[in-house]
Amino acid sequence: MASLAFNSVATTKSGVRHQLAHLRVRAQVESTEQAGVDVEAPVVVITGASRGIGRAVALALGKAGCKVLVKYARSSKGAEEVSKEIESCGGQAMTFGGDVSKEEDVESMMTTV
């Protein structure tokens, strides 16, 4: 299983990085489809995915064909909305609540993925 991890804080406001990531993932998915190779979609974990830049990255990668773990810290409402939007476009998403500063939450999140 291929996996990618993006931290929304590291993404620039201009969105250049998430656009490049979207293009790379889309190209990877399309090239494997064209080659007739049956590979599992990349799995991405997006922290802070319920709003702002994290939301944009989660939506872009979900629409590009990645399986997205939509991670939130406080409120599940925004994360659930992002997951539903990804799924409405044919993507796969799930939400996960936790605090990345706590080792047990990170371990649980990685086990979920």
Side-chain angles (χ1 to χ4, degrees):
M1 167 186 355
S3 69
L4 305 167
F6 290 86
N7 183 331
S8 62
V9 176
T11 308
T12 64
K13 286 186 179 181
S14 67
V16 172
R17 288 187 186 167
H18 98 263
Q19 287 295 337
L20 289 174
H22 172 82
L23 293 173
R24 281 190 215 117
V25 170
R26 186 77 236 146
Q28 177 188 5
V29 170
E30 287 175 358
S31 67
T32 55
E33 288 172 349
Q34 290 172 354
V37 178
D38 186 24
V39 295
E40 200 170 316
V43 176
V44 296
V45 175
I46 311 294
T47 62
S50 62
R51 59 192 181 93
I53 294 169
R55 176 185 177 96
V57 171
L59 292 172
L61 292 173
K63 291 174 184 177
C66 292
K67 294 178 181 179
V68 181
L69 180 85
V70 180
K71 197 260 176 229
Y72 65 93
R74 291 180 213 99
S75 173
S76 64
K77 183 179 177 184
E80 291 293 338
E81 290 172 2
V82 172
S83 290
K84 286 178 184 175
E85 189 170 343
I86 291 169
E87 291 170 352
S88 73
C89 296
Q92 298 178 45
M94 65 182 304
T95 59
F96 184 88
D99 183 345
V100 293
S101 70
K102 296 180 180 175
E103 187 175 339
E104 62 273 6
D105 284 1
V106 173
E107 288 176 12
S108 179
M109 180 174 55
M110 291 298 113
T111 303
T112 301
V113 172

XYZ file of all heavy atoms in Angstrom:
814
model
N 0.846 -1.167 0.000
C 0.000 0.000 0.000
C 0.893 1.232 0.000
O 1.763 1.379 0.831
C -0.890 -0.027 1.242
C -1.579 1.261 1.507
S -2.533 1.399 3.048
C -2.484 -0.166 3.796
N 0.670 2.108 -0.948
C 1.414 3.370 -0.988
C 0.802 4.323 0.016
O -0.399 4.318 0.244
C 1.324 3.968 -2.382
N 1.627 5.115 0.641
C 1.067 6.099 1.556
C 1.839 7.394 1.471
O 3.020 7.413 1.164
C 1.058 5.582 3.000
O 2.362 5.496 3.489
N 1.134 8.466 1.693
C 1.691 9.806 1.689
C 1.192 10.503 2.931
O 0.102 10.222 3.399
C 1.203 10.597 0.462
C 1.447 9.977 -0.899
C 0.639 10.721 -1.949
C 2.914 10.031 -1.248
N 1.947 11.428 3.466
C 1.474 12.199 4.610
C 1.722 13.668 4.328
O 2.792 14.049 3.889
C 2.195 11.784 5.879
N 0.723 14.464 4.539
C 0.820 15.900 4.344
C 0.364 16.582 5.617
O -0.663 16.228 6.170
C -0.098 16.379 3.201
C 0.365 15.954 1.853
C 0.022 14.721 1.342
C 1.160 16.783 1.094
C 0.446 14.324 0.103
C 1.595 16.399 -0.150
C 1.240 15.167 -0.652
N 1.110 17.550 6.078
C 0.696 18.347 7.208
C 0.220 19.667 6.623
O 0.966 20.348 5.937
C 1.861 18.570 8.172
C 1.448 19.340 9.399
O 0.531 20.155 9.358
N 2.114 19.079 10.493
N -1.010 20.025 6.882
C -1.580 21.219 6.265
C -0.824 22.489 6.619
O -0.833 23.452 5.874
C -3.054 21.359 6.642
O -3.198 21.501 8.026
N -0.138 22.498 7.748
C 0.619 23.683 8.144
C 1.776 23.927 7.178
O 2.164 25.053 6.924
C 1.146 23.517 9.587
C 2.015 24.680 9.985
C -0.031 23.385 10.544
N 2.321 22.866 6.601
C 3.469 22.995 5.705
C 3.063 23.457 4.305
O 3.901 23.763 3.482
C 4.207 21.668 5.602
N 1.791 23.515 4.015
C 1.323 23.909 2.703
C 1.247 25.431 2.617
O 0.776 26.090 3.520
C -0.076 23.311 2.438
O -0.018 21.924 2.686
C -0.517 23.559 1.031
N 1.693 25.990 1.501
C 1.664 27.442 1.354
C 0.255 27.932 1.119
O -0.588 27.213 0.594
C 2.555 27.889 0.174
O 2.009 27.364 -1.028
C 3.979 27.427 0.358
N 0.006 29.182 1.465
C -1.320 29.755 1.276
C -1.698 29.823 -0.190
O -2.851 29.742 -0.551
C -1.389 31.144 1.903
C -1.457 31.110 3.404
C -1.680 32.480 3.980
C -1.755 32.394 5.481
N -1.997 33.679 6.098
N -0.726 29.976 -1.067
C -1.022 30.081 -2.489
C -1.536 28.770 -3.052
O -2.099 28.742 -4.131
C 0.226 30.523 -3.257
O 1.202 29.502 -3.193
N -1.338 27.688 -2.304
C -1.851 26.404 -2.759
C -0.962 25.703 -3.767
O -1.330 24.673 -4.314
N 0.218 26.240 -4.005
C 1.106 25.660 -5.004
C 1.463 24.225 -4.643
O 1.388 23.332 -5.485
C 2.387 26.515 -5.164
C 3.404 25.814 -6.045
C 2.029 27.876 -5.735
N 1.819 23.984 -3.404
C 2.210 22.631 -3.015
C 1.068 21.645 -3.163
O 1.262 20.543 -3.640
C 2.746 22.612 -1.589
C 4.104 23.236 -1.462
C 4.652 23.029 -0.085
N 5.902 23.753 0.053
C 6.501 23.971 1.190
N 5.981 23.521 2.302
N 7.620 24.635 1.242
N -0.127 22.038 -2.755
C -1.219 21.065 -2.854
C -1.609 20.836 -4.297
O -2.006 19.743 -4.673
C -2.396 21.413 -1.936
C -3.546 22.113 -2.556
N -3.695 23.467 -2.499
C -4.613 21.638 -3.247
C -4.812 23.805 -3.123
N -5.371 22.719 -3.590
N -1.450 21.838 -5.148
C -1.710 21.641 -6.571
C -0.705 20.663 -7.170
O -1.062 19.788 -7.952
C -1.659 22.975 -7.324
C -2.849 23.874 -7.061
C -4.148 23.281 -7.579
O -4.157 22.454 -8.470
N -5.252 23.702 -7.003
N 0.570 20.805 -6.802
C 1.594 19.893 -7.305
C 1.352 18.473 -6.795
O 1.480 17.505 -7.541
C 2.986 20.373 -6.897
C 3.489 21.633 -7.596
C 4.809 22.082 -6.997
C 3.639 21.397 -9.090
N 1.013 18.357 -5.530
C 0.724 17.032 -4.970
C -0.457 16.408 -5.689
O -0.443 15.222 -6.026
C 0.449 17.140 -3.475
N -1.488 17.203 -5.944
C -2.668 16.712 -6.658
C -2.271 16.189 -8.032
O -2.682 15.111 -8.439
C -3.698 17.845 -6.790
C -4.860 17.503 -7.664
N -5.920 16.782 -7.206
C -5.103 17.771 -8.964
C -6.791 16.620 -8.201
N -6.311 17.209 -9.266
N -1.457 16.946 -8.744
C -1.037 16.537 -10.081
C -0.195 15.269 -10.044
O -0.371 14.375 -10.876
C -0.264 17.665 -10.762
C -1.085 18.916 -11.090
C -0.172 20.024 -11.595
C -2.167 18.596 -12.110
N 0.723 15.176 -9.085
C 1.560 13.983 -8.980
C 0.728 12.747 -8.671
O 0.922 11.693 -9.264
C 2.623 14.172 -7.902
C 3.783 15.000 -8.356
C 4.911 14.950 -7.316
N 5.543 16.249 -7.297
C 5.579 17.069 -6.279
N 5.053 16.745 -5.140
N 6.171 18.235 -6.374
N -0.196 12.867 -7.727
C -1.034 11.729 -7.351
C -1.927 11.338 -8.509
O -2.060 10.165 -8.839
C -1.866 12.047 -6.088
C -2.911 10.981 -5.844
C -0.949 12.193 -4.890
N -2.538 12.323 -9.155
C -3.415 12.032 -10.294
C -2.625 11.321 -11.396
O -3.086 10.355 -11.981
C -4.018 13.344 -10.835
C -5.038 13.153 -11.922
C -6.375 12.700 -11.327
N -6.746 11.461 -11.969
C -7.382 10.469 -11.397
N -7.772 10.543 -10.169
N -7.674 9.377 -12.027
N -1.410 11.798 -11.668
C -0.576 11.175 -12.693
C -0.236 9.740 -12.311
O -0.254 8.836 -13.151
C 0.696 11.990 -12.906
N 0.068 9.519 -11.027
C 0.385 8.160 -10.573
C -0.815 7.241 -10.751
O -0.682 6.129 -11.252
C 0.815 8.186 -9.109
C 1.080 6.801 -8.538
C 1.307 6.810 -7.035
O 1.173 7.834 -6.381
N 1.621 5.669 -6.484
N -1.979 7.693 -10.335
C -3.191 6.884 -10.442
C -3.502 6.603 -11.908
O -3.775 5.467 -12.293
C -4.378 7.577 -9.739
C -5.685 6.870 -10.042
C -4.137 7.642 -8.240
N -3.438 7.625 -12.761
C -3.739 7.443 -14.181
C -2.742 6.514 -14.863
O -3.124 5.674 -15.674
C -3.782 8.794 -14.893
C -5.014 9.599 -14.540
C -5.015 11.001 -15.136
O -4.027 11.378 -15.803
O -6.008 11.709 -14.924
N -1.463 6.642 -14.543
C -0.465 5.793 -15.205
C -0.638 4.334 -14.816
O -0.471 3.447 -15.654
C 0.956 6.275 -14.902
O 1.266 6.104 -13.547
N -0.994 4.054 -13.573
C -1.212 2.666 -13.183
C -2.493 2.122 -13.797
O -2.555 0.964 -14.186
C -1.252 2.507 -11.653
O -2.240 3.370 -11.102
C 0.093 2.789 -11.035
N -3.515 2.973 -13.940
C -4.755 2.537 -14.584
C -4.504 2.222 -16.049
O -4.981 1.228 -16.581
C -5.837 3.611 -14.448
C -6.390 3.746 -13.047
C -7.319 4.935 -12.875
O -7.399 5.796 -13.782
O -7.969 5.024 -11.818
N -3.749 3.078 -16.748
C -3.456 2.876 -18.164
C -2.616 1.623 -18.384
O -2.753 0.945 -19.390
C -2.740 4.095 -18.749
C -3.631 5.303 -18.872
C -2.854 6.552 -19.269
O -1.643 6.551 -19.346
N -3.583 7.625 -19.523
N -1.741 1.326 -17.464
C -0.878 0.155 -17.589
C -1.629 -1.133 -17.239
O -1.105 -2.220 -17.397
C 0.346 0.307 -16.693
N -2.850 -0.989 -16.775
C -3.641 -2.150 -16.409
C -3.190 -2.789 -15.107
O -3.510 -3.928 -14.820
N -2.438 -2.052 -14.332
C -1.942 -2.565 -13.062
C -2.999 -2.314 -11.994
O -3.530 -1.212 -11.880
C -0.619 -1.853 -12.672
C -0.123 -2.350 -11.333
C 0.420 -2.059 -13.750
N -3.280 -3.336 -11.235
C -4.260 -3.207 -10.160
C -3.514 -2.886 -8.873
O -2.980 -3.776 -8.214
C -5.059 -4.496 -10.012
C -6.195 -4.371 -9.019
O -6.666 -3.244 -8.784
O -6.604 -5.405 -8.475
N -3.431 -1.606 -8.549
C -2.755 -1.190 -7.326
C -3.748 -0.484 -6.420
O -4.722 0.095 -6.881
C -1.557 -0.234 -7.595
C -0.472 -0.943 -8.348
C -2.004 1.007 -8.308
N -3.455 -0.559 -5.158
C -4.300 0.117 -4.186
C -4.015 1.612 -4.228
O -2.870 2.035 -4.398
C -3.989 -0.438 -2.802
C -5.092 -0.192 -1.812
C -4.856 -0.965 -0.522
O -4.480 -2.134 -0.594
O -5.051 -0.358 0.531
N -5.046 2.410 -4.085
C -4.891 3.868 -4.101
C -3.990 4.308 -2.952
O -4.004 3.708 -1.878
C -6.253 4.547 -3.976
N -3.202 5.361 -3.167
C -2.378 5.884 -2.078
C -3.253 6.320 -0.905
O -4.361 6.808 -1.095
C -1.682 7.098 -2.694
C -1.781 6.918 -4.159
C -3.036 6.125 -4.394
N -2.741 6.131 0.286
C -3.438 6.552 1.502
C -2.745 7.804 2.015
O -1.525 7.838 2.132
C -3.395 5.454 2.580
C -4.032 5.945 3.874
C -4.072 4.191 2.081
N -3.519 8.848 2.296
C -2.956 10.077 2.829
C -3.611 10.411 4.158
O -4.783 10.155 4.364
C -3.091 11.275 1.847
C -2.294 11.034 0.582
C -4.531 11.559 1.508
N -2.821 10.953 5.045
C -3.312 11.428 6.340
C -3.148 12.935 6.318
O -2.043 13.442 6.158
C -2.500 10.819 7.506
C -2.938 11.421 8.831
C -2.622 9.304 7.513
N -4.250 13.652 6.450
C -4.221 15.106 6.432
C -4.605 15.600 7.824
O -5.731 15.400 8.275
C -5.200 15.703 5.389
C -5.042 15.048 4.015
C -5.035 17.214 5.323
C -3.721 15.306 3.354
N -3.659 16.241 8.513
C -3.974 16.810 9.823
C -4.583 18.192 9.610
O -4.224 18.901 8.683
C -2.721 16.913 10.708
O -1.778 17.777 10.084
C -2.093 15.549 10.934
N -5.537 18.546 10.446
C -6.209 19.837 10.298
C -7.065 19.886 9.047
O -7.200 20.927 8.411
N -7.653 18.751 8.682
C -8.359 18.638 7.410
C -9.794 19.144 7.443
O -10.467 19.141 6.421
C -8.352 17.185 6.946
N -10.262 19.599 8.580
C -11.665 20.013 8.648
C -11.898 21.445 8.196
O -13.034 21.862 7.988
C -12.203 19.818 10.071
O -11.489 20.625 10.983
N -10.805 22.211 7.989
C -11.003 23.597 7.535
C -9.728 24.141 6.898
O -8.663 23.554 7.004
C -11.437 24.490 8.684
C -10.477 24.543 9.836
C -11.103 25.225 11.062
N -10.138 25.267 12.134
C -9.323 26.280 12.360
N -9.359 27.350 11.609
N -8.465 26.229 13.361
N -9.864 25.245 6.220
C -8.733 25.967 5.657
C -7.926 25.188 4.642
O -8.456 24.473 3.808
N -6.611 25.339 4.732
C -5.700 24.712 3.783
C -5.782 23.186 3.879
O -5.776 22.493 2.858
C -4.255 25.199 4.021
C -4.154 26.693 3.705
C -3.268 24.407 3.166
C -2.856 27.330 4.147
N -5.893 22.671 5.084
C -6.009 21.222 5.252
C -7.217 20.667 4.528
O -7.152 19.605 3.907
N -8.320 21.380 4.597
C -9.541 20.969 3.891
C -9.304 20.939 2.388
O -9.663 19.978 1.705
C -10.683 21.928 4.230
C -11.968 21.649 3.491
C -13.025 22.735 3.784
N -14.219 22.493 3.026
C -15.293 21.863 3.491
N -15.314 21.439 4.744
N -16.345 21.673 2.724
N -8.675 21.989 1.865
C -8.398 22.064 0.427
C -7.500 20.918 -0.030
O -7.729 20.314 -1.076
C -7.773 23.414 0.081
N -6.480 20.614 0.768
C -5.564 19.521 0.426
C -6.314 18.185 0.464
O -6.179 17.361 -0.446
C -4.352 19.511 1.379
C -3.509 18.262 1.177
C -3.505 20.760 1.182
N -7.109 17.959 1.505
C -7.861 16.708 1.624
C -8.811 16.524 0.441
O -8.882 15.437 -0.139
C -8.644 16.687 2.943
N -9.519 17.581 0.070
C -10.442 17.495 -1.060
C -9.702 17.230 -2.369
O -10.117 16.389 -3.166
C -11.277 18.767 -1.170
C -12.281 18.998 -0.038
C -12.906 20.386 -0.140
C -13.353 17.915 -0.036
N -8.606 17.941 -2.590
C -7.850 17.771 -3.836
C -7.307 16.351 -3.953
O -7.422 15.717 -5.007
C -6.709 18.790 -3.905
N -6.716 15.835 -2.881
C -6.154 14.493 -2.940
C -7.232 13.417 -2.999
O -7.070 12.398 -3.671
C -5.207 14.265 -1.761
C -3.925 15.096 -1.818
C -3.121 14.932 -0.534
C -3.076 14.739 -3.023
N -8.345 13.654 -2.312
C -9.460 12.709 -2.387
C -10.030 12.633 -3.795
O -10.290 11.547 -4.317
N -10.182 13.767 -4.427
C -10.695 13.805 -5.799
C -9.677 13.259 -6.797
O -10.039 12.812 -7.872
C -11.094 15.233 -6.159
C -12.315 15.702 -5.381
C -12.629 17.164 -5.630
C -13.797 17.616 -4.775
N -14.105 19.049 -4.934
N -8.382 13.279 -6.418
C -7.324 12.761 -7.291
C -7.209 11.242 -7.203
O -6.476 10.637 -7.964
C -5.988 13.406 -6.931
N -7.921 10.638 -6.268
C -7.908 9.183 -6.184
C -7.273 8.596 -4.949
O -7.171 7.381 -4.822
N -6.850 9.419 -4.020
C -6.261 8.918 -2.779
C -7.351 8.510 -1.796
O -8.463 9.038 -1.833
C -5.410 9.998 -2.105
S -3.934 10.432 -3.001
N -7.012 7.598 -0.920
C -7.852 7.308 0.237
C -7.407 8.300 1.303
O -6.223 8.381 1.623
C -7.626 5.883 0.734
C -8.074 4.827 -0.257
C -7.780 3.451 0.298
C -8.194 2.391 -0.692
N -7.888 1.036 -0.194
N -8.354 9.053 1.844
C -7.997 10.149 2.735
C -8.478 9.892 4.162
O -9.651 9.606 4.391
C -8.604 11.483 2.237
C -8.210 12.638 3.142
C -8.181 11.766 0.798
N -7.548 10.002 5.108
C -7.900 10.007 6.519
C -8.003 11.475 6.908
O -7.006 12.186 6.912
C -6.850 9.305 7.383
C -7.206 9.287 8.867
C -8.113 8.090 9.166
C -5.971 9.225 9.711
N -9.216 11.935 7.159
C -9.482 13.327 7.503
C -9.365 13.450 9.021
O -10.233 13.019 9.760
C -10.890 13.750 7.017
C -11.174 15.195 7.377
C -11.033 13.521 5.514
N -8.253 14.017 9.468
C -7.939 14.088 10.894
C -8.349 15.438 11.467
O -8.100 16.467 10.859
C -6.429 13.848 11.083
C -6.032 13.500 12.474
C -5.513 14.761 13.047
C -5.121 14.722 14.482
N -5.718 15.842 15.176
N -8.999 15.406 12.594
C -9.399 16.639 13.276
C -8.999 16.556 14.743
O -8.780 15.469 15.273
C -10.914 16.871 13.150
C -11.748 15.829 13.846
C -12.169 16.018 15.156
C -12.106 14.651 13.198
C -12.924 15.055 15.802
C -12.857 13.683 13.839
C -13.263 13.892 15.133
O -14.009 12.935 15.785
N -8.910 17.712 15.382
C -8.518 17.751 16.793
C -9.707 18.004 17.719
O -9.810 17.398 18.769
C -7.449 18.823 17.014
N -10.600 18.905 17.336
C -11.656 19.327 18.265
C -13.067 18.963 17.817
O -13.823 18.388 18.566
C -11.569 20.837 18.481
C -10.345 21.251 19.255
C -10.291 22.763 19.439
N -8.894 23.172 19.443
C -8.248 23.670 18.408
N -8.862 23.872 17.286
N -6.978 23.988 18.494
N -13.439 19.345 16.628
C -14.826 19.186 16.193
C -14.922 18.246 14.993
O -14.260 18.452 13.980
C -15.413 20.547 15.814
O -16.684 20.390 15.236
N -15.754 17.242 15.130
C -15.912 16.272 14.047
C -16.795 16.779 12.912
O -16.749 16.240 11.805
C -16.492 14.971 14.588
O -17.801 15.180 15.089
N -17.580 17.826 13.152
C -18.544 18.292 12.154
C -17.867 18.655 10.828
O -18.273 18.183 9.765
C -19.327 19.492 12.682
C -20.390 19.977 11.720
C -21.163 21.159 12.283
C -22.168 21.645 11.262
N -22.871 22.831 11.705
N -16.843 19.487 10.859
C -16.154 19.892 9.640
C -15.485 18.716 8.953
O -15.502 18.597 7.725
N -14.897 17.829 9.735
C -14.232 16.650 9.173
C -15.237 15.739 8.478
O -14.966 15.212 7.393
C -13.492 15.894 10.269
N -16.397 15.557 9.085
C -17.447 14.736 8.469
C -17.904 15.348 7.142
O -18.144 14.629 6.165
C -18.640 14.579 9.416
C -18.353 13.741 10.638
C -18.100 12.269 10.334
O -18.528 11.779 9.268
O -17.449 11.619 11.170
N -18.012 16.668 7.092
C -18.406 17.343 5.851
C -17.373 17.123 4.754
O -17.727 16.875 3.599
C -18.602 18.838 6.101
C -19.822 19.162 6.933
C -19.900 20.628 7.333
O -19.023 21.422 6.945
O -20.855 20.964 8.060
N -16.088 17.208 5.107
C -15.016 16.977 4.130
C -15.082 15.542 3.622
O -15.013 15.292 2.410
C -13.631 17.280 4.742
C -12.514 16.852 3.804
C -13.507 18.764 5.066
N -15.261 14.579 4.525
C -15.355 13.172 4.125
C -16.530 12.941 3.185
O -16.401 12.254 2.167
C -15.497 12.272 5.353
O -14.297 12.235 6.076
N -17.660 13.526 3.506
C -18.844 13.368 2.655
C -18.617 13.972 1.279
O -19.034 13.411 0.266
C -20.068 13.998 3.316
C -20.598 13.190 4.476
C -21.784 13.860 5.134
C -22.223 13.065 6.357
N -23.291 13.722 7.090
N -17.952 15.117 1.219
C -17.679 15.747 -0.075
C -16.738 14.884 -0.919
O -16.944 14.727 -2.115
C -17.097 17.148 0.109
C -16.997 17.904 -1.187
C -16.653 19.374 -1.030
O -16.791 19.919 0.085
O -16.252 19.977 -2.026
N -15.720 14.312 -0.295
C -14.803 13.423 -1.008
C -15.566 12.214 -1.543
O -15.423 11.827 -2.705
C -13.639 12.983 -0.099
C -12.710 14.168 0.193
C -12.852 11.824 -0.731
C -11.690 13.916 1.291
N -16.396 11.615 -0.703
C -17.156 10.442 -1.100
C -18.184 10.762 -2.182
O -18.432 9.943 -3.066
C -17.824 9.816 0.115
C -16.804 9.181 1.053
C -17.366 8.763 2.392
O -18.546 9.086 2.701
O -16.624 8.107 3.145
N -18.740 11.974 -2.165
C -19.715 12.350 -3.194
C -19.070 12.470 -4.578
O -19.756 12.394 -5.586
C -20.424 13.658 -2.821
O -19.555 14.757 -2.989
N -17.748 12.628 -4.590
C -17.000 12.696 -5.860
C -16.430 11.333 -6.237
O -15.603 11.231 -7.148
C -15.862 13.709 -5.748
S -16.422 15.383 -5.488
N -16.830 10.293 -5.513
C -16.358 8.949 -5.808
C -15.106 8.537 -5.062
O -14.579 7.455 -5.275
N -14.621 9.398 -4.164
C -13.416 9.084 -3.404
C -13.716 8.303 -2.145
O -14.869 8.022 -1.821
N -12.661 7.953 -1.435
C -12.781 7.224 -0.178
C -12.198 8.074 0.944
O -11.093 8.602 0.805
C -12.016 5.913 -0.251
C -12.535 4.966 -1.307
C -11.686 3.705 -1.353
O -11.362 3.132 -0.321
N -11.332 3.289 -2.546
N -12.940 8.194 2.031
C -12.473 9.012 3.151
C -13.031 8.480 4.454
O -14.079 7.840 4.475
C -12.909 10.463 2.960
N -12.299 8.751 5.506
C -12.794 8.462 6.844
C -12.265 9.532 7.780
O -11.252 10.167 7.486
C -12.379 7.067 7.308
C -10.896 6.879 7.489
S -10.426 5.201 7.979
C -11.374 4.957 9.442
N -12.964 9.752 8.869
C -12.542 10.775 9.825
C -11.858 10.116 11.006
O -12.087 8.949 11.314
C -13.736 11.616 10.320
O -14.681 10.750 10.937
C -14.394 12.365 9.183
N -11.008 10.900 11.648
C -10.314 10.417 12.833
C -10.066 11.596 13.747
O -9.522 12.611 13.324
C -8.975 9.769 12.458
C -8.268 9.161 13.627
C -8.530 7.858 14.006
C -7.370 9.908 14.373
C -7.892 7.292 15.098
C -6.730 9.356 15.473
C -6.992 8.043 15.833
N -10.459 11.475 15.000
C -10.226 12.525 15.983
C -9.060 12.146 16.883
O -8.933 11.001 17.288
N -8.220 13.102 17.146
C -7.096 12.827 18.025
C -6.130 13.991 18.076
O -6.266 14.971 17.352
N -5.158 13.838 18.923
C -4.148 14.863 19.153
C -2.799 14.302 18.726
O -2.298 13.356 19.334
C -4.142 15.226 20.641
C -3.182 16.339 20.995
O -2.300 16.669 20.175
O -3.303 16.874 22.111
N -2.193 14.868 17.682
C -0.929 14.335 17.167
C 0.233 14.546 18.132
O 1.304 13.992 17.925
C -0.574 14.893 15.769
C -1.562 14.409 14.735
C -0.461 16.396 15.783
N 0.040 15.313 19.193
C 1.101 15.462 20.183
C 1.092 14.310 21.197
O 1.995 14.198 22.019
C 0.980 16.805 20.916
O -0.149 16.809 21.763
N 0.080 13.446 21.098
C -0.022 12.287 21.991
C 0.315 11.014 21.213
O -0.348 10.678 20.237
C -1.428 12.182 22.575
C -1.790 13.357 23.462
C -3.173 13.208 24.012
C -3.514 14.406 24.894
N -4.899 14.351 25.352
N 1.349 10.338 21.668
C 1.838 9.152 20.965
C 0.750 8.099 20.766
O 0.646 7.497 19.701
C 3.019 8.555 21.724
C 3.690 7.426 20.974
C 4.932 6.922 21.673
O 5.524 7.654 22.501
O 5.327 5.784 21.382
N -0.080 7.879 21.777
C -1.136 6.861 21.656
C -2.169 7.239 20.587
O -2.690 6.362 19.900
C -1.814 6.585 23.000
C -2.536 7.753 23.636
C -1.660 8.648 24.517
O -0.443 8.463 24.576
O -2.231 9.541 25.154
N -2.447 8.518 20.411
C -3.377 8.945 19.366
C -2.773 8.713 17.981
O -3.460 8.282 17.056
C -3.746 10.425 19.517
C -4.750 10.677 20.643
O -5.145 9.692 21.325
O -5.133 11.832 20.841
N -1.488 9.001 17.838
C -0.807 8.792 16.547
C -0.766 7.305 16.217
O -1.046 6.898 15.091
C 0.599 9.405 16.550
C 1.365 9.039 15.284
C 0.516 10.917 16.719
N -0.431 6.472 17.197
C -0.407 5.032 16.971
C -1.781 4.518 16.564
O -1.900 3.705 15.641
C 0.090 4.318 18.226
C 1.577 4.493 18.481
C 2.042 3.867 19.790
O 1.275 3.106 20.408
O 3.180 4.142 20.179
N -2.806 4.988 17.226
C -4.169 4.591 16.895
C -4.547 5.032 15.487
O -5.167 4.278 14.733
C -5.142 5.186 17.923
O -6.459 4.847 17.607
N -4.146 6.234 15.123
C -4.439 6.753 13.791
C -3.743 5.901 12.726
O -4.344 5.550 11.712
C -3.987 8.221 13.679
C -4.255 8.856 12.345
S -3.866 10.643 12.321
C -2.174 10.690 12.863
N -2.487 5.563 12.930
C -1.746 4.759 11.959
C -2.298 3.342 11.865
O -2.320 2.755 10.797
C -0.254 4.732 12.312
C 0.442 6.071 12.122
S 0.403 6.609 10.381
C -0.661 8.026 10.469
N -2.796 2.811 12.971
C -3.421 1.499 12.943
C -4.707 1.541 12.138
O -5.029 0.609 11.400
C -3.708 1.007 14.384
O -2.493 0.989 15.113
C -4.340 -0.365 14.397
N -5.436 2.640 12.252
C -6.687 2.817 11.519
C -6.430 2.843 10.016
O -7.183 2.274 9.241
C -7.387 4.123 11.948
O -7.646 4.057 13.342
C -8.659 4.358 11.179
N -5.350 3.500 9.615
C -5.008 3.623 8.195
C -4.618 2.258 7.687
O -4.937 1.800 6.669
C -3.863 4.630 7.978
C -3.382 4.620 6.563
C -4.283 6.008 8.401
